[in-house]
Amino acid sequence: MKKKDQAPHQTLVDRQPLTGSRKIYVPGTLHDIRVAMREIVLTDTERKFDFVNPTEVNAPVTVYDTSGPYTDPNIEIDLKKGLPRLRESWILDRGDVERLPGSTSDYGQQRAADASLDHLRFEHIAAPLRARTGANVSQMHYAKKGLITPEMEYIAIRENQRFDELPADDPLRSQHRGHSFGANTPKGHITAEFVRQEVAAGRAVIPCNINHPESEPMIIGRNFLVKINTNIGNSAVTSSIEEEVDKAVWSCRWGGDTLMDLSTGKNIHETREWIIRNCPVPVGTVPIYQALEKVNGKAEDLTWELFRDTLIEQAEQGVDYFTIHAGVLLRYVPMTAKRVTGIVSRGGSIMAKWCLAHHQESFLYTHFEEICEIMKAYDVAFSLGDGLRPGSIADANDEAQFAELETLGELTKIAWKHDVQVMIEGPGHVPMHLIKENMDKQLKECHEAPFYTLGPLTTDIAPGYDHITSAIGAAMIGWFGTAMLCYVTPKEHLGLPNKQDVKDGVIAYKIAAHAADLAKGHPGAQYRDNALSKARFEFRWEDQFNLALDPDTAREYHDETLPAEGAKVAHFCSMCGPHFCSMKITQEVRDYAAKQDLTASQVLAHGLAEKSREFVNKGSEIYL
Amino acid sequence: MKKKDQAPHQTLVDRQPLTGSRKIYVPGTLHDIRVAMREIVLTDTERKFDFVNPTEVNAPVTVYDTSGPYTDPNIEIDLKKGLPRLRESWILDRGDVERLPGSTSDYGQQRAADASLDHLRFEHIAAPLRARTGANVSQMHYAKKGLITPEMEYIAIRENQRFDELPADDPLRSQHRGHSFGANTPKGHITAEFVRQEVAAGRAVIPCNINHPESEPMIIGRNFLVKINTNIGNSAVTSSIEEEVDKAVWSCRWGGDTLMDLSTGKNIHETREWIIRNCPVPVGTVPIYQALEKVNGKAEDLTWELFRDTLIEQAEQGVDYFTIHAGVLLRYVPMTAKRVTGIVSRGGSIMAKWCLAHHQESFLYTHFEEICEIMKAYDVAFSLGDGLRPGSIADANDEAQFAELETLGELTKIAWKHDVQVMIEGPGHVPMHLIKENMDKQLKECHEAPFYTLGPLTTDIAPGYDHITSAIGAAMIGWFGTAMLCYVTPKEHLGLPNKQDVKDGVIAYKIAAHAADLAKGHPGAQYRDNALSKARFEFRWEDQFNLALDPDTAREYHDETLPAEGAKVAHFCSMCGPHFCSMKITQEVRDYAAKQDLTASQVLAHGLAEKSREFVNKGSEIYL
């Protein structure tokens, strides 16, 4: 079943823009940057009963775009060379890095010297960068010094999605009051200075290793758009480098904000190089997985020296954040013995085994400050792993889980002392009524460092559908304040995801993240809902498809019952048929009301004043 | 595209039990009844390190079963004759009904006399029953009189799922504290008397038309398991009788608790007969749809007389609940003119158009008490429709929606005066932070009548995935107290669901309903999660599949990567491979802890006392 590894083919990845969309670039003002976004071009509204203004122009909708250069037809893509190195000049211009002669990790050097790997090695490996002696190249360090980096300005512009440029009276700007979007949040406009403040305070993280200049800057923090992470990676049983690169580009196409390479099989080092060089979003790893491979799967044989070498190996390849399970303490391990599902985190179980075998605290905990020294030399962010997260509803919010969380809070303080960026990983399997406790406790114990949760799954009984069981929990915890949601695919608990599973997972999590943004009252979130619903109500089918998270599937489902082109401009749909459509009837209600000469004062008399202000619909016949 | 209608073939429907399951019957004590349930048979746990008790027997798990006689191989099924008439003797034994010579509806008589319909007519139509003059045959009427009907006892036994027979110290009984399961709820055991009380109080509904004796009694109320409804039905554009009957049986197979036939095309009357005669769950309709067909789609031509005849026609076929949009008042209609998506309910838009055309309140509102007279003569329950529900995030919780809800509350009181059962329909599209307001307002305005919501969808931007956008809202509103969740399929907004869409919708909603049951703290809900998670942790793959909501898909996904039979008993899976598995490592942690002779007192010293009581795991090596 295991396919033979080979270097990816050039023709592998999807290049066309999403249907109806085009890439645009918004320039910076502080820095010489161009921020990539996706613009969805809309058709006009035709008002057949309005002889004065028969056509209403619908402005294009700009949305956050994670797909990278792949969807810009003007950019040449060569997987063998990797993506354009967007951030390289920004990094070099800061003057605080040095170019190394090659990997300084023993393992990295061994792999580079191994001729048997030539056929699958990425060809154009650049010599790695590292902070000059004594320098700290983390975005948190710059932020604390008051510097607004190009990365920060890029993020501010990106988060705004040009929403801040819309006229204040644009009817599609109307939105419900969000009730929990942080008091620190600027209403309606994210500034670069606000980004800097959030990073300096530790409330947000910008994962951007100086050796991953290909990635487009993004931010993870609860006062910004909720982000999603996708996991890919081969295992000893299945998958190839080529498939993983394909899945990486694919997951970005559909909206993955960061990507974790969780490979545990052969050629992890080479697979990672291919992924990072071709990945426009930050890449995270769990370095202990590779370290374990190096000791042939024997957890007790792991050593600090081996782990340290692995961190350097990966940092010099450009990994943007490391999941490190430093909170699994010896005394916490017995707390899991009576659980229904024990320890389900791979990293957590490795470290638990090590702790028991050695009768001492793990090297992750005892060498934590040395790890910080490595992190700040490359700007790798911590993702402090929840090695004792619950693997079942029964084990949710138990003593082991919360004990570890407290330790993660202590470690956060240590990392911040080094100006190293930190986010905190969270569960797992949690019934709905126990979700908020997780968020509240995380904010308190971890001093508002961003929370990054897997789901949580709200029931255990639906293997095959855990993208749904977990999207429920993810939407809720995102609303409560989680900054990034780690996706779950339909294959969770059953197998490794294929390309379709990756897409299904991404879309489910884009839904959860967006639902959370809406509930939080993010100032730009509801605009897209309003635009899509207006298109739906006006039977602008193509616009409805193109504004959807997945235009292809929306179009395909529609065409299953009404495939003719004419049906896409028809004022009815397959659900009700041509003579029986609620939207058509509603239009008749409006027309009727207009004919009755219902005046504005009559509307006001019906208590509509507030609604009228909220939802001014320029095209409504009543007011023409 | 439209297929020619024909009578369904005998071989149409799935008959085999779900894999690993068998049908069981639990006898009543008050009445001579046998309650159908599904028993999932499990394999033993093998403990290779335990020489005293190497095998642990896992008791079968009993679950609620909506699939009807189809999954009992001992019952002969003939679609042309319909299902066994389970409730007929119960109904006749009450001595308060009369057998009519035939349909008393004009339209019903016309259709029966039309020879051109012979080829597609259900052959074995029984003469309908009706309450004797002056009698009231509603379950609410019996309940208020203090009678515990066979239906009520059936429901009590069914809701318990034999969970009440489990030993108190069964470790799988352990569960989190639910924090909102009603104060009225018996902890751990539903009695027939409790069912009666809830129905008498109007807090629960038993939809069971005396002309649908084939249906197995079920209850809709927030102090019981959360239920789900599925919608099927043909339209003028697509689908056939055969397909609809197939979808009906299919939706019951996967867990649909009730079924709405929303047909709007040709042969609605005949389609409905086939569905009801072969449907083991209550069937609901929206009678105004058929009434509109009778006036060729011209809403303004609808009359009370025509509608009344339609109600009688359908009541005598056996429809168990009617969606009636009697809360759409003339003065509410202009409140929708400025919405982004106006009126999206089909029934709502029909009635709005009628009200405007006639400048008066609808016949549904003005003849409401006459409708009640019909309802109580057959025991049809009201599902008071939310004709002004929001069709977009922008329109959620607006004045129109809540004004109608207040009117529904007034109508509830009137219906109860006639001892007619009532549930209230709810939205729609609602962002997460506005969901709870819907539930709280419904309970208050509608005097705790059961709430029955469509989703709600928590964002508008994911057509093609609205089973997910809405499962998020459905799980939450179920937790808050909604009694039944109307499913949404992936085709929502785009087309009519095919069989796969029906299944996807049902599973997504079974997830939402179960997640809600867990969060509410339903005494039996977590048992299945615990059993499945134990199986998962012990690598009992077949048991994990069989305990899943959809065993077929779970098995198929697993087999995509590890198809060999051996893999289903292997102590690893495709995600991590044979040498790297967190569950395997956790087992090693337990073994290690056991070897270290960790005593119970040591565990207690680590603060595990409470967890030990909660999650006693008899098989753990530590205590042997």
Side-chain angles (χ1 to χ4, degrees), chain B residues 492-541:
Chain B
E492 183 78 13
H493 299 117
L494 299 169
L496 282 173
N498 61 26
K499 222 172 141 177
Q500 184 60 45
D501 298 322
V502 167
K503 181 174 171 183
D504 286 343
V506 169
I507 300 291
Y509 272 69
K510 291 299 284 183
I511 289 169
H514 186 76
D517 286 333
L518 284 177
K520 284 165 73 174
H522 187 287
Q526 197 180 311
Y527 192 83
R528 187 170 176 181
D529 295 76
N530 294 348
L532 189 144
S533 288
K534 181 171 187 284
R536 179 176 283 158
F537 190 69
E538 293 170 354
F539 292 100
R540 289 184 282 116
W541 287 100

Side-chain angles (χ1 to χ4, degrees), chain A residues 135-353:
Chain A
N136 184 331
V137 297
S138 85
Q139 293 287 321
M140 187 182 218
H141 185 70
Y142 303 137
K144 284 186 179 174
K145 289 203 302 186
L147 290 177
I148 295 177
T149 61
E151 286 86 348
M152 295 171 196
E153 190 190 15
Y154 193 105
I155 285 162
I157 295 169
R158 192 176 197 186
E159 290 280 324
N160 285 321
Q161 301 168 75
R162 298 213 298 176
F163 177 76
D164 52 329
E165 297 169 25
L166 294 168
D169 63 347
D170 184 329
L172 295 185
R173 285 194 74 153
S174 70
Q175 66 171 68
H176 293 288
R177 303 76 48 211
H179 75 157
S180 72
F181 209 52
N184 301 326
T185 310
K187 296 289 174 198
H189 183 62
I190 304 275
T191 63
E193 167 60 16
F194 179 72
V195 172
R196 187 199 65 74
Q197 289 169 12
E198 291 289 293
V199 172
R203 277 193 299 269
V205 161
I206 302 175
C208 57
N209 186 321
I210 55 174
N211 291 307
H212 187 199
E214 300 90 347
S215 82
E216 297 172 352
M218 57 79 69
I219 196 162
I220 301 164
R222 75 181 194 284
N223 292 320
F224 301 92
L225 291 163
V226 175
K227 304 302 187 299
I228 70 165
N229 173 70
T230 66
N231 293 332
I232 60 164
N234 58 5
S235 81
V237 179
T238 182
S239 184
S240 69
I241 289 179
E242 184 161 52
E243 282 174 280
E244 297 313 309
V245 171
D246 185 24
K247 278 192 262 184
V249 175
W250 181 246
S251 78
C252 296
R253 177 177 181 82
W254 294 110
D257 291 290
T258 70
L259 178 84
M260 290 196 80
D261 173 14
L262 301 184
S263 294
T264 58
K266 296 279 178 205
N267 307 322
I268 298 179
H269 180 88
E270 289 70 27
T271 303
R272 185 165 52 235
E273 188 75 33
W274 278 101
I275 290 172
I276 293 174
R277 297 288 75 81
N278 289 291
C279 191
V281 305
V283 174
T285 63
V286 188
I288 203 78
Y289 291 179
Q290 189 185 7
L292 190 74
E293 296 282 336
K294 293 176 182 175
V295 293
N296 300 312
K298 293 195 128 183
E300 57 272 35
D301 290 352
L302 288 164
T303 64
W304 160 241
E305 290 70 26
L306 183 94
F307 186 74
R308 181 179 180 280
D309 191 69
T310 304
L311 292 184
I312 293 170
E313 171 203 344
Q314 298 197 8
E316 293 183 355
Q317 286 187 298
V319 173
D320 300 285
Y321 61 92
F322 288 150
T323 293
I324 295 188
H325 300 89
V328 178
L329 299 191
L330 183 58
R331 66 179 180 275
Y332 300 159
V333 175
M335 294 177 181
T336 67
K338 290 293 172 186
R339 282 176 157 185
V340 171
T341 48
I343 300 176
V344 295
S345 152
R346 284 187 275 182
S349 57
I350 294 164
M351 296 323 299
K353 187 169 180 182

Side-chain angles (χ1 to χ4, degrees), chain B residues 427-470:
Chain B
H429 292 239
V430 184
M432 281 191 287
H433 66 301
L434 301 184
I435 289 176
K436 192 157 190 304
E437 183 182 16
N438 278 274
M439 188 69 231
D440 294 345
K441 193 164 175 67
Q442 188 274 342
L443 283 176
K444 175 172 170 284
E445 301 290 346
C446 300
H447 325 291
E448 300 191 59
F451 206 20
Y452 164 32
T453 63
L454 178 75
L457 287 71
T458 53
T459 169
D460 304 341
I461 68 167
Y465 300 84
D466 280 329
H467 60 312
I468 300 177
T469 66
S470 66

Side-chain angles (χ1 to χ4, degrees), chain A residues 1 176 292 338 343 353 356 393-394 459-460 465 491 529 533 550 560-561 580 586 588 592 615 623, chain B residues 1 176 292 338 343 353 356 393-394 459-460 465 491 529 533 550 560-561 580 586 588 592 615 623:
Chain A
M1 192 178 335
H176 293 288
L292 190 74
K338 290 293 172 186
I343 300 176
K353 187 169 180 182
L356 289 177
I393 292 294
T459 169
D460 303 341
Y465 299 84
K491 290 275 168 62
D529 295 76
S533 288
D550 176 3
E560 268 182 37
T561 30
F580 188 79
T586 300
E588 291 171 19
Y592 186 92
F615 304 121
Y623 293 94
Chain B
M1 194 177 336
H176 293 287
L292 191 73
K338 291 292 172 187
I343 300 176
K353 188 169 178 181
L356 289 176
I393 292 294
T459 169
D460 304 341
Y465 300 84
K491 289 276 169 61
D529 295 76
S533 288
D550 176 4
E560 267 183 37
T561 29
F580 188 79
T586 301
E588 290 173 20
Y592 185 92
F615 304 119
Y623 292 93

